[in-house]
Amino acid sequence: MEGGGSGRRVVAVGAGLAGLGAARRLCGHGSLLLLEAAGRVGGRVCTRPFASGLAEMGAHWIHGPSPGNPVFQLATGYSLLGPEAAREENQQVEVGGHPFLPSVTYGSSGKALSPTAVSEARHLFDTLLESARTFQGTKELPAPSVGQYLRGEIAQRVPALGEGREDARRLQLAVLAACLKLECCISGTHSMDLVALEPFGEYVSLPGLDCTFPGGYSSLPDCMLSALPEGTVLLNKAVRTIQWKGSFREEGDEARNFPVRVECEDGDAFLADHVIVTVPLGFLKEHHQDFFQPPLPQRKVEAIRRLGFGTNNKIFLEFEKPFWDPQQQLLEVVWEDESPLEEPRTDLEANWFKKLIGFVVLQPPEQHGHVLCGFIAGKESEYMETLSDEEVLGTMTRLLRMLTGNPHLPAPRSVLRSRWHSAPYTRGSYSYVAVGSSGDDIDALAQPLPEDPEDPRPLQLLFAGEATHRTFYSTTHGALLSGWREAERLNQFFQAPSPAPRL
Ligand code: 6YU
């Protein structure tokens, strides 16, 4: 191999957007191998055929498709986006992470709710949520978590809700409870009471009207894979352990020794100078003690433990015919007897489906058929993963019959759902900054090892993945940027003049 870093061996673990992005930027420097546990690339970007179209089991939208978003730029470069996404007006829209979709809100009593009442409560929620983003650097916080802060603010406003009318007030509270569930899906958490208030504003929303990939989100990792030299990625190669700070020699080559040895579950082993670890935080939480030998330093372990990693799943339902109006793109659900000021129900078996926030209508129907995509977060979502397809389909049918007030509503033709919590190499959906953690933990997670800058064998372990990006965590663009960041770190190291040998 030619160029800086010549002869250096780099192994990346995980072929999601972080791993693929890193690999692309490292091409041409030394030898590079990307090891992926699954039989496909993309990780939490995963498109599957469903009905007459496609279903996104993981990432759905490009959040903030605008020139500052590298996923948007890359997808545009590969011509993967539709004409709408390319329109400049759409790239300038500020949606603050909540794109507007024409919607109908079903109440649990089987009637569509008044749009005015719903939007009044939503407007209040959005205002409070905006204020929850203003506490960065504040020492005296009104509450430790976003959920507690929001509920405190809502409690203060109860007398004014619904202009003093009891039934109107109840409805406002019920819509606010539904808003909290939506926020759980967005943050990928069981409860907003788990999400830290002080750093909440550190997450950055980019401008742009969220868009999807007409040919599926997986078209992006597939293009990224094609751009790599053949043989760079090894699929079905789950890594069992990463030994670092070692001195490993290859048979027949006594002259060289490598500080890192990556051992796979199938017994294969690879020696390397540098390993970029991009496995999800959920996997690290479960396996870090045995995955790294010697174990990670305490600061890194604390960051892994403290940062949050929750579950957000999707339930796709295919219908013979739509029961919704053609212009409706979002069917929301409000449980009219709920309030954010009351303790949530804990009996998962009886109540899991009440955490579902509603359904996005997949567009356009000519491509997808008549498909709804439901979103559900938290422990209820993890419970849903334990049920059979028949049980989920049966529960969804009963729920929709209740919401529409139509006991004869035909059952969906088929169902498909994600199960991110059970996925052994993911163990959840995405990261959030949990109570007790902060953006400093994200930086600590991203810190390469060994920590000592004077170590003669630096950058043995580098860390990328969405959970290592301080302002774009939980997104595809955060993942991609983190991969580029670590590749750049190595490229700079390769280009730097070698230090004089220490005497
Ligand atoms: C986005 C969106 N989106 C919905 C759902 C999910 C996610 N995201 P990867 O996991 O991809 O790769 C790691 C690889 O490592 C993987 O292939 C493993 O198999 C492999 N591996 C693990 N262990 C291994 C081992 N031992 N050996 C070898 N290999 C191993 N993001 O931009 N738009 O609409 C959504 C959504 C259901 C599950 C999403 C979305 C998140 C992204 O999918 C995710 O961040 C990246 O794909 C991760 O890439 P990676 O490379 O890091 O890991 C204030 C505040 C709020 C904060 N949140 C607001 C933003 C909301 C996020 N949006 C979510 C919404 C949806 C619907």
Side-chain angles (χ1 to χ4, degrees):
M1 293 281 171
E2 297 300 318
S6 143
R8 293 267 171 187
R9 278 205 212 158
V10 182
V11 169
V13 182
L17 290 199
L20 289 166
R24 180 77 188 115
R25 291 265 163 128
L26 281 165
C27 275
H29 286 302
S31 86
L32 169 71
L33 211 51
L34 183 46
L35 307 177
E36 168 55 51
R40 58 170 186 89
V41 296
R44 281 169 276 170
V45 170
C46 175
T47 312
R48 290 263 163 81
F50 182 64
S52 57
L54 301 169
E56 301 295 358
M57 308 301 279
H60 208 101
W61 296 279
I62 300 182
H63 288 311
S66 49
N69 185 326
V71 167
F72 174 71
Q73 293 289 35
L74 203 56
T76 305
Y78 286 129
S79 306
L80 299 178
L81 301 178
E84 277 298 297
R87 281 176 45 196
E88 269 197 30
E89 309 90 90
N90 283 356
Q91 294 170 33
Q92 284 154 15
V93 179
E94 291 281 352
V95 289
H98 290 263
F100 172 80
L101 294 175
S103 63
V104 56
T105 307
Y106 291 108
S108 45
S109 59
K111 291 189 296 279
L113 301 178
S114 138
T116 321
V118 171
S119 66
E120 207 177 301
R122 283 204 191 290
H123 178 71
L124 169 61
F125 189 84
D126 290 347
T127 310
L128 296 179
L129 197 66
E130 218 25 66
S131 66
R133 297 188 211 280
T134 60
F135 291 102
Q136 259 175 282
T138 307
K139 291 271 176 302
E140 298 282 315
L141 291 168
S145 72
V146 175
Q148 284 157 296
Y149 168 72
L150 293 174
R151 288 189 286 112
E153 292 296 309
I154 291 167
Q156 284 178 28
R157 289 165 175 78
V158 165
L161 287 179
E163 291 166 351
R165 285 193 0 257
E166 187 50 31
D167 55 340
R169 180 185 298 147
R170 282 229 190 104
L171 181 57
Q172 297 278 294
L173 285 170
V175 176
L176 290 166
C179 291
L180 270 172
K181 290 181 203 171
L182 168 64
E183 227 28 64
C184 286
C185 283
I186 293 172
S187 279
T189 183
H190 173 63
S191 160
M192 291 308 285
D193 290 4
L194 301 174
V195 179
L197 179 62
E198 192 272 332
F200 190 57
E202 219 168 334
Y203 174 84
V204 172
S205 291
L206 293 169
L209 199 57
D210 290 7
C211 67
T212 55
F213 286 72
Y217 224 125
S218 286
S219 55
L220 179 65
D222 290 347
C223 284
M224 292 168 80
L225 174 66
S226 313
L228 293 174
E230 229 180 288
T232 305
V233 181
L234 300 186
L235 298 175
N236 300 307
K237 264 295 180 236
V239 170
R240 185 176 21 217
T241 49
I242 301 177
Q243 293 165 279
W244 58 298
K245 284 185 174 171
S247 181
F248 303 102
R249 287 198 159 77
E250 223 143 48
E251 251 182 53
D253 182 5
E254 292 305 305
R256 255 192 102 174
N257 81 64
F258 297 88
V260 194
R261 179 174 181 271
V262 178
E263 191 183 309
C264 297
E265 283 177 11
D266 63 6
D268 277 359
F270 303 90
L271 305 188
D273 298 288
H274 312 281
V275 173
I276 306 181
V277 180
T278 78
V279 301
L281 176 59
F283 180 87
L284 285 179
K285 278 182 182 284
E286 192 169 67
H287 295 290
H288 72 87
Q289 296 98 327
D290 310 321
F291 198 61
F292 298 98
Q293 293 170 3
L296 297 173
Q298 198 50 29
R299 180 67 187 96
K300 185 85 86 180
V301 169
E302 277 167 19
I304 291 171
R305 188 179 53 79
R306 288 200 291 237
L307 286 167
F309 195 78
T311 306
N312 179 20
N313 272 313
K314 302 181 184 178
I315 304 175
F316 294 92
L317 301 172
E318 182 202 6
F319 290 84
E320 187 103 35
K321 285 196 208 118
F323 62 84
W324 53 94
D325 288 344
Q327 75 275 11
Q328 288 166 352
Q329 292 184 34
L330 184 62
L331 317 181
E332 293 171 309
V333 181
V334 169
W335 291 86
E336 288 161 80
D337 59 345
E338 288 187 357
S339 159
L341 307 180
E342 282 160 27
E343 284 305 308
R345 298 179 183 94
T346 48
D347 179 356
L348 291 178
E349 192 181 344
N351 294 302
W352 69 268
F353 55 90
K354 294 183 182 165
K355 191 70 169 281
L356 190 101
I357 58 158
F359 302 90
V360 169
V361 181
L362 295 197
Q363 302 285 343
E366 305 78 55
Q367 183 193 343
H368 291 281
H370 305 298
V371 177
L372 298 182
C373 170
F375 289 81
I376 181 165
K379 294 205 175 88
E380 293 82 352
S381 187
E382 291 164 13
Y383 178 78
M384 181 276 293
E385 294 189 20
T386 67
L387 301 175
S388 68
D389 279 354
E390 290 70 30
E391 284 169 307
V392 173
L393 192 135
T395 305
M396 289 297 111
T397 306
R398 284 191 293 280
L399 173 67
L400 286 167
R401 285 179 180 164
M402 190 194 80
L403 294 171
T404 54
N406 175 4
H408 306 296
L409 189 84
R413 235 191 214 169
S414 57
V415 63
L416 176 72
R417 68 251 161 73
S418 60
R419 291 192 189 93
W420 289 105
H421 181 71
S422 323
Y425 297 104
T426 315
R427 305 298 281 135
S429 297
Y430 37 90
S431 63
Y432 61 92
V433 184
V435 172
S437 67
S438 73
D440 289 348
D441 285 324
I442 298 181
D443 289 345
L445 186 60
Q447 204 56 36
L449 296 173
E451 283 164 314
D452 179 3
E454 300 296 310
D455 195 293
R457 295 178 308 168
L459 305 182
Q460 292 174 33
L461 301 184
L462 302 99
F463 294 82
E466 55 86 11
T468 69
H469 198 287
R470 188 159 178 154
T471 54
F472 294 146
Y473 58 88
S474 76
T475 64
T476 50
H477 50 283
L480 181 61
L481 283 173
S482 73
W484 286 353
R485 177 192 68 215
E486 296 312 311
E488 220 36 64
R489 201 191 295 273
L490 277 181
N491 281 334
Q492 281 185 11
F493 172 69
F494 294 155
Q495 279 153 18
S498 306
R502 281 203 262 175
L503 298 173

